[in-house]
């Protein structure tokens, strides 16, 4: 890899070789600005996908023949030939976005790095973001109160009470670090705020123009690709490196061209489209690839529709789902209140550099797929995975089939004689009954859909028509609306639709992620008891992007993703096992009787969604929250750690660190902590939901004087390693085969004693004995949200190696970032075929010159050997491993 050799040479940075011939100027924002004429460097430019052009521009602009070389630029120009060769390229994003769950540990780590820099005799002020970093506090608010006019205030007050320490820490960070913008709680969801406000699309930084690009500590950062900004999720560990000026190493990706034709049928929504796209791309297989949308159908999609599709790239497996800048982009930017000068800058730059889509491009993609938008049908996805697509007309039959099917992604394993079980009770003074398939949570939630005025207006119109027909929501359903920005409230009010939603119980409960990330709050005690006492397969229906098992609520075994108007419809029906075509919702009223036409929706959107709404909301975005304004925060460049705090704690990652690396290359007699099957998600590894009352984390909190009512969630306590290491592998639905096939829970067998212990307690016993640990897993290990704690937690538990059949992209990177070695079974081999039980001990030798993707011989106790593939994928990642992790590597670079 010539690029990596250059990076670690002693020559140091050199002048940019492209300055002399390809640096030009244009007028922007009232003055002259420079830009790189990337489209004139080679005739191959016109054949490059738009998304690859963004990577190319970054390489040209940052070329210093040291970190980024001319060879990198050449490799990208030769993308068509090179994308199949796993060629490594460096990429420097223009900015970073964070949400508070993943953002707090990033700021904690930066604070700890400052302390370590000072301890080792360096300049602590060098630990500072080198590019713009925007952190939106959106993950902390919960649906504690719902279905009432005062729910919003109750939830926001509780959010502030529970998270005061975290918020004080973040407010300290906003003044202690340069280039760090904090958007206060109660403002909206990070990806919607990013789309509507933070996205620059084209930067003008000190007179230099370049494309906006972003990495974020949330998988759904990909939403920003809908507005022509290349962006994707990375682990918090990688994000910190980018913040500190490091390039991110990535493999030059294949690009799937997804041609869209035609128009959506009347009554179909963007949600129906994205769930269909997710199914199709999952079937094709796009993990690690870019997807770029083109064709005349793209012109028939609003930018909000495009953003909905881009948002769910993690669910269909792609790194990005990219829509180039075009006329619709310009229309959206004007509608969302961007200034005329800003929009002119974007248009002029994009056209000058060949980054403006005209529809006449002749790009040759790695693979091609096509979808006629008219073929899309109303649908949902579930009951346990976002790519398990179910058409609305087959929903009842599909759920009924799941009831009796073997427990799994499409099965609940309920005996046939129990399918008709029904339980009657009273809730809030009203008689009701539930059965298998009853909806107990109906949530209009998530930036995936609340950023799209069409589906929000459609939900409001369904509510309006339902009220006119005399329909009401069933008493056992907990309803909520959590918009991604205050703009939603403004246009729903302007259309007179918010009061209709209020009437059905869909009052605004908060401006944040809420139900989509599991912050759904408690359901009514009577409902909870009826489910628990009768083993009811209860359902949640939400307009979110993820429905993994135990994510939404511990008592909803079935979780379905649906459009906001369908969320309202299912709340009215009170059950998911209904055929809307042939069965009335109630009182002889069918879904078709209350479903709005596409034109009805468009008329409301065109009249009520205006630029002035966006301008009025976002001009006060940083100051609107009075509780935040009044919050007292510490001062100073170094943080004064409070050892008694259960929210913020100085992490031990740099304890004992020296200026020179001391790589651990030999691992002897490692014990197996867990043996997992397929699709172990980061939700399984690092839960973000409630802290179970009998868990190791709960015991620690109680011993620290924290009452049960004040436990809050794991996500809110990510700034404290002592909590999070105890929360690692604490998911109640975790299936560790060491305990027994089919058994679930956060347990393992501590083989030296034969005791069944919590995974944390067993890990601590192994640590006391000085025993390193290994995890064995199946396919797609670490899928789901990009959580750095899914790597940090195992690291702190003593895990040194993970051997799996395959890894999710971000999680694999995070493991390397924490110094954990990911190994992959050879094709056709797995735990079962190799006869591994978890009782074995493992020996590894990583000494010598490591090469990305090399074969590694693994010695197993008893003389058995297996060969695995080293999933350290780049030479830079080798450096990270040799330094004990990416943060240690960056810190040593700063010290030099």
């Amino acid at each position: 890899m010539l690029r990596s050799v250059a990076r670690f040479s002693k020559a140091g940075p050199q002048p940019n070789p492209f300055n002399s011939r390809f640096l030009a100027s244009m007028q922007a924002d009232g003055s002259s600005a420079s830009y790189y004429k990337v489209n004139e460097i080679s005739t191959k430019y016109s054949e490059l996908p738009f998304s690859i052009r963004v990577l190319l521009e970054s390489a040209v602009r940052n070329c210093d023949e040291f970190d980024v070389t001319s060879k990198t630029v050449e490799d990208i120009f030769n993308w068509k030939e090179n994308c199949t060769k796993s060629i490594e390229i460096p990429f420097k994003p223009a900015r970073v976005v964070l949400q508070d769950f993943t953002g707090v540990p990033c700021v904690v780590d930066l604070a700890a790095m400052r302390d370590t820099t000072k301890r080792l005799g360096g300049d602590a002020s060098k630990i500072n973001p080198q590019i713009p970093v925007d952190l939106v506090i959106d993950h902390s608010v919960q649906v504690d109160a719902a279905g009432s006019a005062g729910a919003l205030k109750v939830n926001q007050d509780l959010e502030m009470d529970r998270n005061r320490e975290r918020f004080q820490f973040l407010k300290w960070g906003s003044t202690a670090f340069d280039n760090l913008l904090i958007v206060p709680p109660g403002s909206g969801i990070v990806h919607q705020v990013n789309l509507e406000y933070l996205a620059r699309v084209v930067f003008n930084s000190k007179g230099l123009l370049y494309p906006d690009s972003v990495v974020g500590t949330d998988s759904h950062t990909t939403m920003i690709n809908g507005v022509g900004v290349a962006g994707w999720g990375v682990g918090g560990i990688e994000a910190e490196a980018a913040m500190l000026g490091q390039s991110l190493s990535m493999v030059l990706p294949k690009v799937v061209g997804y041609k869209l034709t035609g128009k959506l049928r009347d009554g179909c929504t963007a949600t129906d489209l994205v769930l269909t796209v997710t199914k199709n791309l999952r079937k094709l297989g796009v993990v690690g690839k870019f997807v770029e949308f083109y064709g005349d159908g793209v012109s028939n999609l609003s930018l909000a529709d495009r953003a909905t599709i881009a948002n769910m790239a993690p669910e269909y497996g792609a790194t990005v789902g990219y829509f180039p800048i075009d006329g619709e982009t310009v229309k959206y930017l004007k509608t969302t209140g961007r200034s005329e000068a800003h929009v002119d800058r974007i248009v002029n730059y994009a056209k000058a550099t060949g980054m403006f889509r005209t529809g006449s491009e002749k790009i040759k993609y790695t693979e091609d797929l096509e979808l006629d938008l008219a073929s899309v049908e109303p649908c949902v996805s579930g009951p346990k995975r976002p790519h398990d697509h179910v058409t609305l007309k087959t929903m009842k039959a599909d759920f009924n089939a799941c009831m009796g099917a073997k427990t799994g992604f499409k099965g609940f394993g309920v005996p046939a004689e129990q399918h008709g079980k029904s339980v009657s009770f009273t809730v809030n003074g009203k008689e009701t009954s539930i059965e298998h398939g009853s909806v107990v949570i109906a949530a209009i939630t998530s930036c995936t859909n609340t950023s799209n005025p069409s589906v929000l207006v459609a939900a409001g119109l369904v509510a309006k028509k339902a009220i006119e027909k005399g329909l009401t929501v069933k008493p056992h359903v907990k309803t909520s609306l959590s918009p991604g920005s205050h703009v939603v409230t403004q246009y729903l009010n302007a259309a007179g639709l918010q009061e209709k939603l209020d009437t059905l119980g869909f009052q605004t409960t908060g401006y944040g992620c809420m139900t989509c990330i599991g912050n759904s709050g408690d359901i009514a005690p009577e409902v909870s008891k009826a489910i628990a006492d009768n083993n009811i397969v209860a359902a949640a229906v939400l307009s979110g992007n993820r429905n993994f098992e135990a994510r939404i609520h511990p008592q909803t075994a079935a979780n379905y993703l649906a459009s906001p108007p369908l969320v309202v419809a299912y709340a009215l029906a009170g059950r998911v096992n209904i055929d809307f075509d042939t069965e009335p919702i109630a009182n002889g009223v069918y879904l078709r009787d209350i479903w709005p036409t596409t034109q009805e929706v468009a008329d409301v959107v065109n009249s009520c969604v205006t630029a002035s709404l966006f301008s009025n909301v976002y001009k006060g975005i940083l100051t609107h929250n009075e509780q935040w304004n009044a919050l007292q925060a510490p001062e100073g460049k170094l943080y004064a750690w409070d050892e008694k705090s259960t929210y913020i704690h100085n992490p031990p990652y740099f304890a004992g660190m020296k200026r020179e690396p001391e790589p651990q290359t030999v691992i002897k007699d490692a014990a197996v902590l867990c043996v997992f099957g397929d699709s172990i998600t980061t939700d399984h590894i690092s839960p973000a939901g409630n802290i179970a009352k009998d868990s190791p984390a709960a015991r620690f909190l109680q011993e620290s004087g924290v009452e049960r009512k004040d436990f809050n969630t794991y996500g809110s306590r990510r700034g404290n390693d002592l909590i999070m290491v105890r929360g690692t592998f604490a998911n109640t639905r975790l299936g560790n085969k060491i305990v027994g096939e089919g058994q679930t829970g956060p347990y393992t067998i501590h083989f030296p004693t034969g005791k069944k212990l919590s995974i944390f307690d067993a890990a601590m016993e192994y640590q006391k004995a000085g025993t390193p640990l290994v995890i064995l897993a199946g396919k797609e290990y670490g899928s789901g949200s990009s959580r750095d704690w899914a790597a940090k937690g195992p690291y702190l538990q003593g895990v040194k190696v993970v051997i799996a059949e395959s890894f999710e992209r971000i999680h694999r990177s995070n493991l390397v970032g924490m110094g954990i070695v990911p190994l992959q079974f050879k094709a056709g081999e797995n735990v079962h075929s190799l006869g591994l039980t978890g009782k074995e001990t493992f020996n590894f030798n990583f000494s010598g010159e490591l090469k990305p993707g090399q074969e590694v011989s693994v010695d197993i106790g008893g003389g058995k050997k297996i060969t695995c593939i080293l999933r350290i994928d780049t030479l830079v990642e080798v450096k990270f491993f040799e330094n004990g992790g990416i943060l240690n590597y960056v810190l040593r670079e700063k010290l030099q």
Side-chain angles (χ1 to χ4, degrees), residues 431-479:
E431 291 290 330
T432 192
S433 64
I434 62 171
E435 58 189 20
H436 295 302
S438 287
V439 175
V440 296
I441 291 177
I444 300 174
T445 181
S446 175
C447 53
T448 306
N449 284 292
T450 70
S451 61
N452 194 323
S454 294
V455 290
L456 267 295
V457 166
L461 290 173
V462 167
K464 178 177 181 289
K465 293 174 181 245
I467 293 166
E468 291 170 353
K469 297 286 187 181
L471 301 183
T472 58
V473 171
K474 298 297 183 284
H476 53 263
V477 183
K478 180 177 183 178
T479 49

Side-chain angles (χ1 to χ4, degrees), residues 801-860:
V801 178
V802 178
I803 310 178
E805 289 184 67
S806 64
F807 294 87
E808 192 276 337
R809 177 184 63 87
I810 299 174
H811 185 64
R812 184 210 60 81
S813 174
N814 277 349
L815 290 174
V816 177
M818 288 308 299
I820 297 175
V821 180
L823 295 179
Q824 190 161 310
F825 290 113
K826 296 189 75 173
E829 295 183 348
N830 54 43
V831 169
H832 179 72
S833 70
L834 294 170
L836 302 177
T837 64
K839 296 179 181 179
E840 302 84 1
T841 57
F842 288 72
N843 296 283
F844 308 90
N845 189 336
F846 299 112
S847 58
E849 184 180 352
L850 288 182
K851 296 180 180 179
Q854 74 178 52
E855 291 190 350
V856 174
S857 179
V858 179
D859 293 329
I860 304 175

Side-chain angles (χ1 to χ4, degrees), residues 97-117:
V97 295
L98 312 170
Q99 38 92 340
D100 57 303
F101 271 16
T102 50
V104 165
C106 282
V107 181
V108 166
D109 290 350
L110 291 176
M113 290 174 75
R114 277 192 173 178
D115 288 351
T116 304
T117 301

Side-chain angles (χ1 to χ4, degrees), residues 15 57 77-78 157 182 199 219 258 287 296 304-305 309 370 376 380 411 442 496 527 554 628 699 733 860 889:
E57 192 283 336
F77 267 118
N78 292 321
D157 287 348
I182 306 286
S219 303
Y258 203 153
V287 172
D296 62 347
D305 291 346
I309 296 170
E370 186 170 338
V376 173
V380 299
V527 178
W628 174 266
R699 293 201 309 268
R733 301 294 178 93
I860 304 175
Y889 167 75

Side-chain angles (χ1 to χ4, degrees), residues 107-145:
V107 181
V108 166
D109 290 350
L110 291 176
M113 290 174 75
R114 277 192 173 178
D115 288 351
T116 304
T117 301
K118 182 181 179 182
R119 174 174 65 81
L120 295 176
D123 183 357
S125 66
K126 288 186 177 181
I127 305 301
N128 217 41
Q130 303 298 301
I131 57 177
V133 178
D134 304 313
L135 189 156
V136 180
I137 301 174
D138 66 353
H139 270 50
S140 300
V141 64
Q142 302 178 44
V143 191
D144 290 288

